[in-house]
Amino acid sequence: GNQKTTHSESSPGKKSQHAEEAIFYKNCRAAYLTVLKSSLENIKSKEQLSLVLQQAGRNPSQKTINKYWTSQTTSLNFDDFCAILKKEKPATKNELLEAFGKIDTDQAGYILHDELCKILTTRGDKMTWEEVASITKQADFNCSGKLDYNKFCELYLSTSEQCCKAARDRLETDPRLRQQQFGNQTENFPEGIPLPVSKPSPRLSRKTDHKLAKSDSRAPSRPSSAQSSKVSTSTTVTVRASSSRNTKLIIEPDTMKDWQRAQSRGCFYLEEAGEILSHKYRLHLPQRSALCVTIKPLSIPQAEGKSCHWLSVDTALFILKENETQENLQLVSFTELQNKEMFGWRGELGAGVYWLLPFTTGCRLRKVKTQITGEAKLVWRDEDGELALTKEFRAALLDIFETIDLDGNGLLSLEEYNFFELRTSGEKCDQEAWAVCKENFEMKKNELTRQGFLDLNLMEANDQDGDPWDLWVTLLSLGYNKALEMTEACPFVIDICAERCKPRIKAISLEAGGSQLSRAVCRSVVNKGEAKVLDGSENIFIYTYRSGSRITSVIENKSEKKVIIHVNNEQSKNCLNNRGLTVFAVEVAPKSMMVSQHVMALNEQEEWIYSCVHSLV
C-alpha cells in the first residue's frame, strides 16, 4: 500500500534540518575534492588535513591539527573530516574582533605593527617575521604602521567564503567530478528515478550477509561520531572462466527460416563527460507475433585485421510499450540472454508500437588515456598538386559509412546522412542541399554511394585547402583517436524476427538514454534481481542481478529523505565497473532508485568474483 508520510517527517523544522544537512555535506564534499581525487580517498598527512580544512573555510591552528592527528594516526577518511568540521566551526566576525580587542586595550580599532609582530612571533603558533611582514604589507587594511583589524576581519571572512564558493562551483560545473568522485551518474538521472506506488519487494532476503562493517583499527584520535558502526550488506557472486558467455540464447535457423525479418544498425558514442549517446528506435508490429530480438556489436568488413576495440563492448536492448503519452513508457522486457557477444530476447508481443532503447554499461566503452606516437595523415598532394585522401583515411571513412548506413543497403538516404550530420556538425541537410549533393556526388535512387561519401569528404578537404582540422572534428566526434582507431564509439546491429507479421524498425533519434532508459534499467534489476534490505534501515534495499557477462546493482530508497551509500569493491577479483573506482559513494534522493554500479570481468578467460559491500553513511 501507499506509504504515508508522518507529521513529524513533513514538518517545516524537519525539512529545514534536512536542507541544512544537505548543504553541510555538499560543502564537505566540495572542500574534500579540491585536495583529494575521491571522497573515498583518505587524508594521509597533517598537511593534507590542514589544506582540506582551509578549503572548508577553517583556519586551523597547529594545536587543532594535533588534536585530530596524533602520533598514532596514519589516515583520516571523509567521515572523519565531516565530523571534524561539525566540531570546528568557522570563526565569526565577533569572535575575531573580540580576539583583537584583547590586544587593542585602548579600543582604537588599530594595532601597531611592532606590537602585532611581537605577539605573532612569540605566542601560540609562532609565525616567522616574513609571514608577519606579508600581512602588514597588505594595503587593504594597513596604513601608517598600523593594522585596521576591522578591515582585516572583513577581508579574512570574505576570502574564506570565496574559497568555499570556488570549491562548490568546481564541484557543480565539473560533470566528471560529480560522476566519478561521488557516484551520481549524470547519464542516469542524477536525482534518482522516482518510485511508483510501493509494493512488496520480490525475493527479499533478510537472512544472509547482513552485518556490521568491520571496526576501524586506526588512531583513537578519530572523532567519536566517525567511530560508530555503519549498517551494511554484502553480496558475493563468483563466475567461472568464460561461463558468462555460454550459450543461453538459442537461435534455431530451421524453425525461424520462414520468419520475417527487420534489421537496423546504430552506434553508441562516448561524450567528453562520460555520457553515452545512441540511436533510439520505434518498432511497429501489425499483429501479435512470436519474436526474437537480438543486439550485438557490428563487425565491419573493412576493419578486419585491425584492432576492433568496440567488439568487446557489452550491449543490451530494452523493449518499452508506447502508451497515449511517451512520458512514462512501460518496460516490457530486455535482452537478458547471451550467446558470445550477442544478447537477445524471445517471446511474444501484441500488435502495436514499441520503443527499443539500446544500452551499454560503460564498463568497456569509457575514456582511456592511450599514448599515441603520431597523428595519422588524412590528405596528401599528388604530382600535379591535387589533394587526395590517404589510404588510411579512406579506410576509416568506409568504416564510418558502414556504421551510419543504418539499413545496411550500401547506400545513405537523406535520413541516414542527417544522423551523421547531427552527430558531427549539429545541423541537418535539407532537401535543397541534398539535391545539390546529387548534382555533385555519385548517388543511386536518391541515396549517396560509398564513392559519393568519399568524394564529399575530399571536397571538404579542398574547401579548407588541405587543412585537416574540420576532418579531425568529424573523426573525433565519431569516436576516433588521432591514430584513426575507433576507441570511443561502438557500432551495433539490431535484428528483429517475427513469426506471423512483418516487423518494421525505424531510428527516431540520436541522444542520451535519459530518464526512460534509467527507469527501465532500474526496473529490470528490481524485477529480476535478488533484494536485500539494510538491517536497521528497512527503507533501503540493494538489488543485484546478473545478466550474462554483467552484474548490475540498484539502490532503492523508500524513505522520505536522501541517503548516502558507500560502495566498497575491494574484495572483488578480476572485475571492472562503469565508475572506474573501487570505492565510491552514491547519493540517492528520497522515494527513488538509481544504479549503484555495473560490473564485468576484466578478463573473461579467468574466474571473476564480484564482492561488494554497501554501507549506509
Side-chain angles (χ1 to χ4, degrees):
N2 290 325
Q3 291 183 334
K4 295 180 180 179
T5 304
T6 64
H7 175 74
S8 61
E9 285 178 326
S10 59
S11 64
K14 198 81 171 179
K15 290 181 179 179
S16 176
Q17 182 184 347
H18 291 162
E20 289 177 7
E21 287 178 0
I23 294 170
F24 172 76
Y25 282 108
K26 181 179 179 181
N27 289 337
C28 289
R29 293 204 308 274
Y32 205 80
L33 296 176
T34 302
V35 178
L36 298 153
K37 293 181 180 179
S38 163
S39 60
L40 272 296
E41 182 180 338
N42 287 345
I43 299 168
K44 297 182 178 65
S45 67
K46 287 184 177 182
E47 291 72 25
Q48 277 192 335
L49 176 58
S50 181
L51 280 174
V52 290
L53 288 173
Q54 287 170 0
Q55 291 296 332
R58 310 308 194 260
N59 186 28
S61 65
Q62 196 58 49
K63 182 179 179 181
T64 299
I65 296 296
N66 290 338
K67 181 166 66 173
Y68 299 104
W69 195 284
T70 70
S71 58
Q72 295 177 299
T73 308
T74 57
S75 63
L76 295 171
N77 63 21
F78 179 70
D79 294 344
D80 302 333
F81 173 65
C82 293
I84 291 171
L85 286 189
K86 284 184 176 180
K87 291 185 176 183
E88 303 298 328
K89 304 294 184 183
T92 65
K93 186 174 182 181
N94 287 338
E95 290 171 339
L96 291 172
L97 291 175
E98 184 180 345
F100 278 111
K102 292 178 180 179
I103 303 172
D104 179 22
T105 55
D106 296 332
Q107 301 298 307
Y110 297 94
I111 298 175
L112 293 174
H113 286 174
D114 290 343
E115 185 178 2
L116 180 67
C117 189
K118 181 180 178 181
I119 293 170
L120 295 180
T121 56
T122 59
R123 299 182 191 175
D125 290 345
K126 300 179 183 64
M127 298 175 66
T128 65
W129 287 93
E130 290 77 13
E131 289 171 334
V132 177
S134 67
I135 296 175
T136 57
K137 287 179 181 178
Q138 295 291 326
D140 293 332
F141 46 79
N142 290 283
C143 183
S144 304
K146 294 181 291 186
L147 178 138
D148 184 335
Y149 57 81
N150 273 282
K151 290 183 178 179
F152 173 82
C153 291
E154 290 173 1
L155 185 62
Y156 170 86
L157 293 172
S158 64
T159 302
S160 176
E161 176 53 34
Q162 286 171 13
C163 187
C164 294
K165 185 177 183 301
R168 290 194 300 269
D169 290 347
R170 179 171 175 264
L171 185 67
E172 286 295 320
T173 58
D174 190 339
R176 284 174 293 182
L177 194 65
R178 290 203 310 271
Q179 176 187 345
Q180 296 177 6
Q181 314 303 355
F182 203 72
N184 279 349
Q185 292 179 291
T186 54
E187 71 272 24
N188 279 348
F189 213 58
E191 296 81 8
I193 305 303
L195 294 176
V197 175
S198 300
K199 296 180 180 179
S201 299
R203 288 173 290 284
L204 183 59
S205 170
R206 288 172 176 267
K207 58 186 178 181
T208 60
D209 291 335
H210 297 284
K211 57 188 179 181
L212 293 178
K214 295 179 181 178
S215 59
D216 201 307
S217 59
R218 291 178 299 173
S221 62
R222 289 181 61 199
S224 58
S225 60
Q227 292 176 350
S228 59
S229 299
K230 301 173 189 173
V231 173
S232 67
T233 183
S234 65
T235 303
T236 301
V237 180
T238 301
V239 185
R240 296 191 307 274
S242 300
S243 69
S244 59
R245 297 173 71 86
N246 285 348
T247 301
K248 289 185 177 180
L249 177 67
I250 300 174
I251 299 176
E252 303 169 4
D254 291 338
T255 61
M256 293 175 55
K257 62 182 180 180
D258 295 327
W259 289 25
Q260 299 188 68
R261 298 172 181 267
Q263 185 185 86
S264 183
R265 298 174 181 178
C267 196
F268 296 110
Y269 296 107
L270 184 60
E271 293 281 74
E272 189 61 36
E275 189 176 39
I276 296 175
L277 279 62
S278 79
H279 294 83
K280 292 183 178 179
Y281 305 84
R282 189 174 283 156
L283 170 67
H284 179 255
L285 295 178
Q287 69 181 74
R288 174 173 286 276
S289 175
L291 284 185
C292 180
V293 180
T294 65
I295 182 172
K296 66 177 181 179
L298 176 65
S299 181
I300 301 175
Q302 281 78 19
E304 291 179 1
K306 296 181 183 179
S307 176
C308 303
H309 302 271
W310 68 89
L311 290 179
S312 66
V313 172
D314 62 290
T315 59
L317 200 62
F318 286 83
I319 305 169
L320 285 75
K321 183 72 171 72
E322 187 172 276
N323 300 317
E324 289 80 8
T325 66
Q326 296 178 22
E327 293 178 5
N328 193 17
L329 302 179
Q330 178 185 354
L331 175 65
V332 175
S333 193
F334 63 100
T335 53
E336 59 179 318
L337 302 178
Q338 182 177 7
N339 183 1
K340 297 181 180 179
E341 74 281 356
M342 179 186 291
F343 279 81
W345 173 80
R346 290 190 67 167
E348 188 169 294
L349 292 179
V353 177
Y354 299 83
W355 280 84
L356 303 181
L357 305 185
F359 170 75
T360 182
T361 61
C363 290
R364 292 181 176 154
L365 183 59
R366 60 198 301 175
K367 293 285 180 182
V368 178
K369 292 182 180 179
T370 55
Q371 192 68 33
I372 298 175
T373 53
E375 183 179 300
K377 194 173 182 181
L378 303 184
V379 295
W380 63 289
R381 291 188 183 274
D382 61 19
E383 295 177 354
D384 299 325
E386 295 293 322
L387 275 177
L389 306 178
T390 64
K391 180 182 177 181
E392 295 76 16
F393 185 35
R394 284 176 60 89
L397 287 173
L398 291 173
D399 288 355
I400 291 169
F401 187 94
E402 293 297 322
T403 300
I404 62 178
D405 177 18
L406 300 184
D407 60 10
N409 71 344
L411 300 168
L412 292 183
S413 66
L414 173 58
E415 195 170 32
E416 291 171 329
Y417 181 77
N418 271 334
F419 279 118
F420 166 78
E421 278 293 318
L422 284 170
R423 177 63 190 161
T424 57
S425 69
E427 299 177 354
K428 276 189 173 184
C429 176
D430 58 22
Q431 290 288 349
E432 186 177 343
W434 193 244
V436 174
C437 285
K438 190 173 183 179
E439 293 174 2
N440 292 277
F441 306 109
E442 183 180 88
M443 285 197 182
K444 290 181 181 178
K445 301 177 182 179
N446 202 37
E447 295 188 331
L448 193 64
T449 65
R450 288 183 176 86
Q451 186 59 50
F453 184 66
L454 293 173
D455 292 341
L456 179 61
N457 282 274
L458 178 59
M459 182 201 72
E460 289 190 10
N462 275 298
D463 286 347
Q464 300 300 320
D465 197 26
D467 186 342
W469 171 260
D470 285 348
L471 298 176
W472 275 119
V473 169
T474 295
L475 288 165
L476 294 173
S477 67
L478 295 172
Y480 282 79
N481 62 20
K482 288 300 182 78
L484 286 181
E485 299 168 324
M486 185 162 54
T487 57
E488 295 186 358
C490 172
F492 56 80
V493 58
I494 297 170
D495 275 290
I496 312 289
C497 297
E499 183 181 20
R500 293 189 290 272
C501 64
K502 174 66 177 175
R504 295 200 306 272
I505 181 173
K506 181 181 178 64
I508 299 300
S509 63
L510 177 60
E511 59 189 12
S515 61
Q516 293 287 3
L517 181 58
S518 295
R519 187 178 288 108
V521 172
C522 288
R523 183 52 55 194
S524 68
V525 174
V526 169
N527 289 345
K528 296 274 189 175
E530 179 191 13
K532 293 183 178 181
V533 64
L534 293 181
D535 283 343
S537 181
E538 294 189 350
N539 288 321
I540 311 300
F541 298 86
I542 309 297
Y543 299 86
T544 305
Y545 178 61
R546 178 187 164 196
S547 175
S549 59
R550 56 181 173 252
I551 293 173
T552 298
S553 63
V554 164
I555 303 170
E556 182 179 19
N557 176 17
K558 292 186 176 182
S559 72
E560 299 287 345
K561 60 181 180 180
K562 74 168 186 181
V563 295
I564 298 174
I565 306 292
H566 280 184
V567 185
N568 189 320
N569 297 294
E570 290 178 321
Q571 298 305 311
S572 293
K573 306 294 183 185
N574 186 31
C575 290
L576 74 162
N577 66 30
N578 63 308
R579 296 182 181 276
L581 292 169
T582 303
V583 183
F584 57 91
V586 289
E587 189 174 288
V588 191
K591 296 290 186 182
S592 72
M593 56 185 166
M594 68 176 294
V595 170
S596 170
Q597 62 180 336
H598 303 286
V599 181
M600 297 185 70
L602 190 61
N603 180 359
E604 289 187 341
Q605 303 308 311
E606 299 176 2
E607 178 182 84
W608 55 289
I609 300 173
Y610 167 73
S611 182
C612 178
V613 178
H614 286 84
S615 302
L616 179 64
V617 176

